[in-house]
Amino acid sequence: MTSISMTVNGKAVTADVEDRTLLVDYIRESLRLTGTHVGCDTSQCGACVVHVDGKAVKSCTMLAAAAAGSEVTTIEGVANGDLHPMQKAFNDNHGLQCGFCTPGMIMSGIDMVNRYKAEGKTLDEAAIRAELEGNICRCTGYHNIVKSISQAAGEM
Amino acid sequence: MSEGIGAPVKRKEDKRFITGAGRYTDDIKLENQAYAAFVRSPHAHANVKSIDKSAAEGMDGVLAVLDGKQLTGDGIGNIICGWAITSKDGSPMNMGAWSALATDKVRYVGDAVVAVIAETKAQAKEAAEAVVVEYEELPAAAHIDAALAGGAPQIHDNAPGNVIYDWEIGEKDPTEAAIAGAAHVTEMDITNNRLSPNAMEPRSAITKYDAAEDHYTLYTTSQNPHVARLVLSAFYAVAPEHKLRVIAPDVGGGFGSKIYIYPEEIVCLWAAMKTKRSIKWTADRTEAFLTDAHGRDHVTTAKMGFDASGNIVGFHVSTKANFGAYMSLFSSAVPTYLYATLLSGTYNIPNIYCEVLACYTNTVPIDAYRGAGRPEASYVVERMMETAAREMGKDPAELRRQNFINEFPHQTPVIMNYDSGDFEGNMNQAMEAADWAGFEARKAESAAHGKLRGIGMACYIEACGIAPSAAVGSLGAGVGLWESAEVRVNPVGTIEILTGSHSHGQGHETTFAQVVADRFGVPLDSVQIVHGDTDKVQFGMGTYGSRSGPVGMSAIVKALDKVEAKVKKIGAHLLEVTEADITIEDGQVKAQGTNKALGWHEIGLAAYTAHNLPPDMEPGLKEGAFYDPLNFTFPMGCFICEVEVDPETGKTEILKFVASDDFGVIINPMIVEGQVHGGIAQGVGQALLEEVVYDESGQQLSASYMDYTMPRADDVPSYDVLHHNTKCTTNPLGIKGCGEAGAIGSPPAVINAITNAIGNNDLSMPATPSKVWAALGAAKIAAE
Ligand code: FES
Ligand code: FES
């Protein structure tokens, strides 16, 4: 057991966790923030993406203890008041069907827009598709996810 | 903008999903909850000699270690297939016993043997590792040919030669005679590759037993909670139907794989009663690959005969279908009534004969996966048409056009009676959008930079809205395939629709509400859709086979008819006019020709206060209906795919994908297009990337996302999705259904495009770069 402290969605949290506890399990099981999902066991699907210190991370691939001292944002914490422009874009463009991949898609989408903005690069359709390599959706065929991220990129 | 039928309104359900507030089964945590883990067979085929549970039982947190002998000893029944198929010789299908926990024999890698219940998930998994099962390995048959070969290992004692059934449809002799007399015969061997459905949410179950009430609750990832309850009680004897509540909360995709009742739900319900604890089990992805029903896996030889002018005269199809190690719930219907009945495609074919040999193998059970039988049929028909056109030197579009059915209703030789359509209309629309005429110029452009460009077409037809109960009953179905709905108008005028359909991504909370808004002019927000809970909804057959529109919504319409009739009576009484003078619009009940009107809430209040109702009228405003479809519905469409193949690497890039579908009346075009996008991506996945691979010994080599190639965003193009709709004539809204079309029409369109590019018709799915490269090489050698 290790005692860890971090900030999750702006709130300070402290807990004793087993050394082997994954960040995603800590978020889902201990904090009961169940918007972050688990869709695979090989770090491929991206359903578990959260932001750790402002960067997209697959929370199934990080130990909770490794996030100690960090600022973690989950899908529950991205909106500042109403909806984040990325969340709104997914609703506007029918970017989700079953919704299971959606939190991870939104977290990855926000991250990619931020990165491209910071680097002054344009996030065109080809770039969005390439950037989505680590996020699998079985429902939408990606068409409307690409449109959603593209809309949000213009609004963020 | 209108919120009624035809409006692309944004989805009501999105809010909870985009904010992380969706409630999927694994998100739920019950009081007193323990966890289950399963000990699974590492062998494809073996006798279970002994099970030593002692070490596991002594481990920290372990509550119970349960095996198949205890399960059967407690009277839990075997898992069954619910559709009886009769062989050519009149004999019944050979269904082998499938116990939720194997007792004496395991038949595939992943077959569950022991369940461990412990306080935490980690403890359950660790204890499962400590269970010692002694196996006596047996030779395995992992593929169709191996299972049907002489001397093949016997998988179930009651299925000699591993044959489940040898079935036929159509007229054999006339078909063979027509082909014998044909001016041209096209013959092909066609394989439909084995797929894993891969809903992104893994299967999960939470069970609860209330000893005081002797009552069970199951939360589960199900497309059809009532069917689950029925089967769990009537056949598996886990709990009586009136003592079992099944809740399918938010479900993260299904694609067929969540129709079936799997061993894990059965075991967890039984274990909850035994341990008096709530129990959760959630599959990890590898477990999903090893246990979720797979799809497809057909091997077919087809012969199509044409007369001298290119008219089809006969079609002969022999298919072998892999069922895996056990017969899953609807498995038997897939390669028969959902496949062979669609072999007429969109064409006038006077003679059709199809025989299907179904067999066991030592692999995961196979059942319906998005499209279920129709993708296999469409792939056979459309590859045959394309190849025949090339062999006869005809334009593939013109060969199709010449053979199209253009009078309706049309009775095919294989049961189906198509009610409506304008096949040429869809083809023309797709060809125009794809700039079919400009292809040669684009091909030349590609050639100029060393690439091979190809164009391919598929004109699929499929059958949805499964199905008229008496008809499917006569064909062997164990259930009726109607749907039910209840409409509750509350005293304040808000409306709840309780439906037996289940939404796991399809958007019912929006589209079903649109039907109500359209009917009464009430705001969408005043309508709530309730589904997925057997304690709330009266009954339902669930969502699969694109039936929620044509069947589920028809049940709602039927219930709305009854509500409307009662509302008109109440309105006429209160407004003192005749019923014929009452109209309902904009959420108001109006007396025509006057300025008298009542708000919807006033009608609700009148119905429930019952202070002033017409004589003999019951209070309340709630109506239920069961709708049994009159026929299947027949969505069809023309898909055109254009690709560029790199001859150096064999890599295919899809440059353009056009879909023109006929879905009948569309409730919400935004949602319908989304369904088509997702279906096409799955079809492109099948055509280019996906395949479940077993080695000879029955080990699954593709049981993770590192090994099974799911389509990613950069593997698929943007799609041009168009509609050219004709109304379905057999249900009240005129809906045909749209959930599977994309996955049905796209594989042949993609493969026809690639084979066109490389000049070799001999190419199988998935058309990986190495296969395409090899086929290209073979074409070059043949040309030299
Ligand atoms: S659950 Fe983290 S990548 Fe799949
Ligand atoms: S919306 Fe279902 S997996 Fe993406």
Side-chain angles (χ1 to χ4, degrees):
Chain A
M1 286 285 184
T2 313
S3 174
I4 55 165
S5 300
M6 64 181 89
T7 308
V8 178
N9 298 335
K11 265 198 264 170
V13 293
T14 300
D16 288 331
V17 297
E18 283 188 65
D19 293 348
R20 65 179 171 184
T21 301
L22 297 171
L23 180 59
V24 69
D25 289 330
Y26 175 62
I27 291 169
R28 284 180 58 79
E29 302 299 331
S30 303
L31 303 177
R32 300 296 295 144
L33 293 169
T34 55
T36 302
H37 297 150
V38 178
C40 73
D41 29 52
T42 50
S43 278
Q44 247 89 32
C45 77
C48 62
V49 172
V50 299
H51 294 171
V52 177
D53 296 326
K55 288 207 172 87
V57 164
K58 287 180 170 171
S59 61
C60 72
T61 312
M62 185 175 194
L63 294 169
S70 296
E71 296 226 6
V72 175
T73 307
T74 70
I75 186 69
E76 290 90 346
V78 291
N80 210 341
D82 199 12
L83 291 176
H84 187 281
M86 190 63 73
Q87 291 173 310
K88 181 177 168 294
F90 271 71
N91 178 231
D92 286 348
N93 294 285
H94 189 31
L96 64 148
Q97 291 181 24
C98 79
F100 195 79
C101 72
T102 312
M105 289 286 179
I106 289 174
M107 299 311 282
S108 290
I110 293 172
D111 176 73
M112 84 177 73
V113 173
N114 287 341
R115 274 189 289 113
Y116 273 65
K117 280 218 147 69
E119 293 165 23
K121 295 193 293 189
T122 17
L123 190 59
D124 59 10
E125 179 182 338
I128 294 171
R129 288 184 181 274
E131 287 285 341
L132 283 176
E133 180 63 29
N135 289 80
I136 303 178
C137 174
R138 192 55 151 172
C139 298
T140 63
Y142 303 101
H143 186 105
N144 288 340
I145 289 178
V146 173
K147 273 170 73 180
S148 303
I149 295 175
S150 175
Q151 174 185 316
E155 290 173 356
M156 274 169 68
Chain B
M1 187 172 49
S2 148
E3 298 181 320
I5 291 174
V9 292
K10 291 181 205 164
R11 298 205 317 175
K12 284 157 64 90
E13 49 268 79
D14 283 2
K15 178 91 190 267
R16 64 179 186 273
F17 297 124
I18 57 181
T19 56
R23 191 164 173 259
Y24 301 89
T25 300
D26 190 61
D27 299 341
I28 296 165
K29 195 170 194 173
L30 299 182
E31 288 282 299
N32 208 17
Q33 180 180 290
Y35 294 81
F38 288 83
V39 179
R40 301 186 180 281
S41 170
H43 305 296
H45 200 193
N47 288 319
V48 177
K49 302 300 283 181
S50 66
I51 298 173
D52 182 355
K53 307 193 285 191
S54 53
E57 280 167 337
M59 288 172 69
D60 272 358
V62 171
L63 300 165
V65 182
L66 302 166
D67 63 39
K69 293 223 160 70
Q70 291 168 283
L71 182 97
T72 47
D74 280 359
I76 305 298
N78 286 327
I79 300 171
I80 52 127
C81 171
W83 196 307
I85 298 291
T86 306
S87 282
K88 286 172 186 168
D89 64 3
S91 60
M93 64 186 188
N94 299 319
M95 179 159 58
W98 183 7
S99 173
L101 293 173
T103 48
D104 47 0
K105 200 176 177 194
V106 287
R107 295 182 175 85
Y108 69 98
V109 174
D111 211 349
V113 183
V114 170
V116 177
I117 314 298
E119 293 290 348
T120 71
K121 194 171 181 174
Q123 287 169 336
K125 285 192 165 182
E126 276 162 23
E129 298 274 321
V131 174
V132 182
V133 184
E134 191 193 340
Y135 296 98
E136 176 194 24
E137 269 191 79
L138 299 169
H143 304 103
I144 293 174
D145 288 349
L148 293 174
Q154 186 68 34
I155 298 170
H156 288 276
D157 291 344
N158 64 335
N162 299 316
V163 171
I164 297 171
Y165 55 69
D166 182 7
W167 174 88
E168 65 181 351
I169 190 169
E171 300 293 328
K172 186 174 186 203
D173 293 342
T175 303
E176 287 178 353
I179 292 172
H184 177 84
V185 177
T186 290
E187 183 167 355
M188 289 182 89
D189 292 327
I190 295 174
T191 301
N192 206 286
N193 44 328
R194 181 178 185 127
L195 304 174
S196 174
N198 274 301
M200 291 314 297
E201 178 206 25
R203 284 192 299 118
S204 180
I206 311 177
T207 58
K208 179 172 132 183
Y209 176 66
D210 179 339
E213 304 283 343
D214 190 28
H215 186 278
Y216 296 75
T217 305
L218 167 66
Y219 293 85
T220 184
T221 49
S222 174
Q223 301 177 215
N224 36 215
H226 283 91
V227 174
R229 185 176 71 152
L230 172 66
V231 176
L232 283 162
S233 64
F235 298 100
Y236 310 150
V238 185
E241 201 170 359
H242 64 303
K243 294 281 192 183
L244 173 59
R245 176 183 187 185
V246 180
I247 301 169
D250 286 330
V251 173
F255 313 113
S257 68
K258 292 171 180 168
I259 298 172
Y260 325 115
I261 294 39
Y262 289 89
E264 293 83 7
E265 294 104 81
I266 298 173
V267 170
C268 288
L269 271 171
W270 168 67
M273 183 273 293
K274 281 195 103 62
T275 60
K276 309 289 183 285
R277 294 288 297 268
S278 293
I279 293 171
K280 177 189 272 190
W281 167 80
T282 300
D284 57 33
R285 184 55 59 185
T286 298
E287 228 173 353
F289 275 106
L290 292 180
T291 64
D292 292 3
H294 291 172
R296 322 281 192 254
D297 208 347
H298 284 192
V299 175
T300 293
T301 300
K303 273 187 239 167
M304 193 179 267
F306 296 82
D307 68 16
S309 50
N311 298 316
I312 307 169
V313 295
F315 191 23
H316 187 289
V317 180
S318 297
T319 294
K320 292 174 195 155
N322 189 349
F323 273 52
Y326 301 100
M327 292 187 75
S328 174
L329 192 63
F330 284 132
S331 56
S332 58
V334 176
T336 49
Y337 294 111
L338 297 177
Y339 164 70
T341 55
L342 275 309
L343 286 171
S344 194
T346 49
Y347 311 109
N348 266 305
I349 307 183
N351 302 288
I352 300 177
Y353 174 76
C354 176
E355 56 187 351
V356 178
L357 191 64
C359 73
Y360 286 114
T361 58
N362 293 112
T363 62
V364 177
I366 290 185
D367 206 325
Y369 162 58
R370 199 171 198 170
R374 293 101 80 207
E376 295 91 320
S378 147
Y379 188 64
V380 169
V381 173
E382 289 305 297
R383 286 213 60 193
M384 291 294 286
M385 288 303 282
E386 191 84 17
T387 304
R390 291 173 192 168
E391 286 175 353
M392 291 188 282
K394 287 180 182 281
D395 180 310
E398 291 316 306
L399 183 70
R400 288 180 170 91
R401 196 188 297 277
Q402 150 180 15
N403 282 284
F404 271 153
I405 294 160
N406 35 37
E407 276 172 34
F408 300 92
H410 174 88
Q411 178 64 53
T412 73
V414 279
I415 296 182
M416 293 303 181
N417 190 295
Y418 303 160
D419 67 300
S420 57
D422 174 18
F423 302 166
E424 270 205 87
N426 289 88
M427 180 191 249
N428 292 339
Q429 186 183 41
M431 287 173 75
E432 193 172 319
D435 186 19
W436 182 271
F439 172 72
E440 287 305 327
R442 297 192 296 277
K443 188 180 167 81
E445 245 173 67
S446 293
H449 59 263
K451 297 279 171 64
L452 302 168
R453 197 180 271 251
I455 195 164
M457 176 184 278
C459 295
Y460 76 89
I461 190 163
E462 60 131 338
C464 288
I466 178 169
S469 298
V472 294
S474 74
L475 301 176
V479 289
L481 288 168
W482 41 264
E483 195 46 87
S484 98
E486 193 178 304
V487 176
R488 292 183 189 164
V489 181
N490 296 320
V492 292
T494 55
I495 300 176
E496 287 163 82
I497 304 289
L498 294 87
T499 169
S501 299
H502 184 275
S503 182
H504 29 280
Q506 295 89 341
H508 296 167
E509 290 170 42
T510 304
T511 51
F512 288 14
Q514 284 182 260
V515 172
V516 181
D518 194 79
R519 186 69 171 263
F520 298 139
V522 295
L524 212 56
D525 282 342
S526 71
V527 184
Q528 183 74 20
I529 307 301
V530 179
H531 67 100
D533 184 341
T534 60
D535 263 16
K536 292 182 181 165
V537 178
Q538 55 180 354
F539 211 99
M541 296 313 294
T543 289
Y544 40 84
S546 308
R547 66 194 303 278
S548 301
V551 191
M553 283 202 232
S554 296
I556 294 172
V557 168
K558 236 182 128 181
L560 290 173
D561 290 344
K562 297 182 190 178
V563 168
E564 179 176 323
K566 187 163 181 178
V567 166
K568 284 189 166 167
K569 282 200 175 77
I570 296 172
H573 177 75
L574 296 176
L575 297 172
E576 298 175 323
V577 295
T578 65
E579 271 174 61
D581 289 329
I582 294 289
T583 52
I584 304 175
E585 56 189 20
D586 305 328
Q588 291 201 313
V589 177
K590 298 177 179 169
Q592 263 177 324
T594 75
N595 57 3
K596 292 197 288 185
L598 293 166
W600 193 249
H601 61 287
E602 291 173 285
I603 295 285
L605 204 60
Y608 284 92
T609 56
H611 294 162
N612 181 17
L613 289 177
D616 303 326
M617 179 180 275
E618 286 180 19
L621 194 48
K622 179 194 95 149
E623 300 288 349
F626 284 72
Y627 173 80
D628 201 359
L630 300 173
N631 190 1
F632 287 87
T633 62
F634 300 98
M636 71 76 57
C638 177
F639 288 2
I640 296 174
C641 177
E642 193 163 321
V643 300
E644 211 173 49
V645 172
D646 182 340
E648 299 296 318
T649 62
K651 182 152 171 47
T652 299
E653 189 187 349
I654 297 181
L655 302 175
K656 196 166 178 66
F657 199 106
V658 176
S660 165
D661 297 289
D662 178 353
F663 292 141
V665 170
I666 286 177
I667 307 297
N668 183 324
M670 175 194 81
I671 288 178
V672 165
E673 283 161 26
Q675 289 292 309
V676 177
H677 298 159
I680 295 173
Q682 286 182 4
V684 168
Q686 167 162 32
L688 296 181
L689 307 166
E690 296 180 42
E691 184 169 39
V692 172
V693 179
Y694 279 95
D695 71 10
E696 297 294 308
S697 73
Q699 292 294 331
Q700 197 186 129
L701 304 180
S702 53
S704 84
Y705 286 154
M706 315 240 277
D707 309 289
Y708 185 92
T709 318
M710 292 283 280
R712 303 320 202 260
D714 57 359
D715 293 315
V716 292
S718 282
Y719 321 99
D720 293 328
V721 175
L722 310 164
H723 304 290
H724 174 72
N725 297 315
T726 61
K727 200 169 172 178
C728 174
T729 63
T730 57
N731 62 50
L733 291 170
I735 296 179
K736 295 187 180 178
C738 66
E740 296 154 293
I744 293 169
S746 51
V750 174
I751 298 298
N752 286 342
I754 301 174
T755 52
N756 174 247
I758 64 175
N760 185 349
N761 293 325
D762 186 13
L763 180 70
S764 67
M765 300 189 291
T768 56
S770 70
K771 272 195 209 167
V772 172
W773 189 81
L776 193 55
K780 273 190 201 140
I781 291 166
E784 277 160 15

